[in-house]
Amino acid sequence: MKKFLLTCGLFFVIFFLIDKGLILLRNSAPNREVDKRLEMILNGKIQSDILIYGSSRGGRDIIASDIADSLKVPAYNLSFPGSAIEFHEFLLSETLKNGNKKPSVVILDVDDLDELLPNSRINFRLDWLYPLIKYGVIRDKLVEKVGKNYWLSKLFVVHQLSISNFDLRPKHFKPIDTLLADGSMPINFKDPRFTGAFINDTTLYDIKKERPTEFNSFTRFVDLCNTNNIKLVIACPPNFYKPTVGFSDRIAGLVKDKAYMLIHDANQHDYSKDPDYYYDDVHLKKNGAKLFTAEIVDFIRKNNLVPGATGR
């Protein structure tokens, strides 16, 4: 029995030392990331008056530096490819903490028709969280989202990690997701699979298919802006297909007077149905993004959302 207890004790000592040694691995993970925006939020490094949230459409269709140059106020893009409104809510919530500057205007780029519906294209991007596992707020969020045991996560570093944390290779930007200094990621080329044929099919929005998770996150996002006296612009960007019937009306009905609705009108802009301005059917190329960003700038000026910001 004594030998068994000694063996068990030795095992736990070795396990404890190895586990604590993993702190070095955990804490070095952020250094291998090339997209530092989430860590900037956690460290209070976001100091812009206008912030943009969304999925890849927000990242590629809106150029924050063009907004900043036009309105003469700092703007930054916090849109992440493949991210859903639940992730955007998390980002906004953390942006309003940690010493970040409270924005005067938030632009939320919404995805027609995926914003509140279940789909495989956008989700809560857990893969952006694991490299930042050294931060307590990230560990708590993973306990919530992944079902990790709270106490084991507190006690053992190995329980905090995922397989991706053991990948020591340096990260690199892909051509499609290369960040500018303003957080935007416009692209200059076209998806070779994009045929350039405008999709004229009529799609009806079905409220019954909305998921409570997305619906609740959307309403909380709106309320976060409202309770913090942040002017919220809901932006519906152009797509290379007919807008989903009822989608923008549904979004407008949810926000009511708590936000400004910017709905791109294809009949007012010639580029809307020109394939030369698109990467694929749901993303603009940089030339199209500059035009849509100009629409946003005009909308902000027209509604006097940034008083005194009248630069040209």
Side-chain angles (χ1 to χ4, degrees):
M1 177 61 74
K2 183 178 180 180
K3 183 178 181 181
F4 173 76
L5 292 176
L6 287 173
T7 301
C8 289
L10 180 61
F11 171 80
F12 282 117
V13 168
I14 294 173
F15 176 82
F16 179 82
L17 292 174
I18 292 175
D19 184 71
K20 298 314 171 187
L22 291 175
I23 292 176
L24 297 174
L25 176 67
R26 181 194 70 183
N27 291 354
S28 66
N31 300 331
R32 294 188 289 277
E33 295 299 304
V34 290
D35 187 342
K36 305 289 187 180
R37 292 177 298 163
L38 179 50
E39 190 172 26
M40 288 171 62
I41 292 174
L42 300 178
N43 287 325
K45 302 296 185 182
I46 303 298
Q47 301 295 316
S48 294
D49 293 288
I50 299 176
L51 295 178
I52 303 151
Y53 296 85
S55 64
S56 56
R57 298 188 199 190
R60 294 167 191 160
D61 291 1
I62 304 175
I63 303 176
S65 57
D66 281 9
I67 295 176
D69 292 342
S70 297
L71 299 178
K72 308 306 179 187
V73 294
Y76 198 73
N77 201 320
L78 291 170
S79 300
F80 285 77
S83 63
I85 183 62
E86 189 183 6
F87 192 69
H88 309 154
E89 179 206 352
F90 169 69
L91 295 179
L92 175 60
S93 177
E94 291 304 316
T95 303
L96 296 175
K97 306 173 186 175
N98 308 313
N100 295 295
K101 180 179 182 179
K102 187 179 78 171
S104 58
V105 176
V106 160
I107 301 168
L108 175 62
D109 189 272
V110 293
D111 293 358
D112 177 357
L113 71 157
D114 296 331
E115 190 70 17
L116 305 178
L117 302 182
N119 66 87
S120 59
R121 291 179 290 275
I122 53 177
N123 54 61
F124 192 99
R125 292 296 303 269
L126 294 171
D127 53 322
W128 289 98
L129 268 58
Y130 276 109
L132 303 177
I133 199 69
K134 76 174 188 177
Y135 294 94
V137 65
I138 298 296
R139 295 197 294 273
D140 291 343
K141 179 57 68 171
L142 287 170
V143 167
E144 172 193 333
K145 297 297 298 179
V146 184
K148 285 181 175 287
N149 183 279
Y150 176 81
W151 290 111
L152 288 178
S153 186
K154 290 289 185 182
L155 292 171
F156 301 116
V157 177
V158 69
H159 189 70
Q160 303 168 8
L161 305 177
S162 76
I163 294 176
S164 63
N165 291 114
F166 293 89
D167 185 354
L168 302 182
R169 294 173 298 179
K171 306 293 177 59
H172 302 283
F173 282 123
K174 297 177 182 178
I176 196 172
D177 290 331
T178 299
L179 282 179
L180 300 181
D182 65 353
S184 306
M185 49 185 72
I187 41 184
N188 290 309
F189 54 93
K190 186 177 297 187
D191 187 333
R193 297 166 296 181
F194 179 50
T195 65
F198 189 84
I199 303 172
N200 268 306
D201 298 342
T202 298
T203 304
L204 302 179
Y205 188 74
D206 189 350
I207 295 177
K208 296 177 182 177
K209 293 182 178 179
E210 291 178 355
R211 285 207 322 176
T213 299
E214 281 73 17
F215 176 89
N216 292 333
S217 285
F218 181 82
T219 56
R220 285 194 296 265
F221 188 102
V222 174
D223 288 341
L224 268 174
C225 291
N226 192 247
T227 56
N228 285 279
N229 297 313
I230 299 169
K231 297 166 186 173
L232 173 61
V233 176
I234 305 290
C236 299
N239 295 292
F240 211 62
Y241 56 79
K242 286 176 64 174
T244 301
V245 176
F247 172 73
S248 60
D249 289 339
R250 172 58 170 166
I251 297 297
L254 290 175
V255 302
K256 296 183 173 64
D257 61 350
K258 294 181 178 179
Y260 297 83
M261 288 291 299
L262 191 170
I263 304 172
H264 174 81
D265 186 351
N267 295 321
Q268 298 295 321
H269 303 277
D270 293 337
Y271 79 94
S272 300
K273 295 185 179 181
D274 187 337
D276 287 339
Y277 291 90
Y278 287 83
Y279 165 77
D280 59 15
D281 61 332
V282 295
H283 300 99
L284 295 165
K285 290 196 312 185
K286 185 175 182 179
N287 55 353
K290 293 185 78 67
L291 294 175
F292 181 58
T293 302
E295 290 180 48
I296 294 175
V297 169
D298 289 343
F299 185 87
I300 291 174
R301 285 199 183 108
K302 179 180 177 180
N303 290 279
N304 195 32
L305 301 185
V306 183
T310 57
R312 294 285 172 177

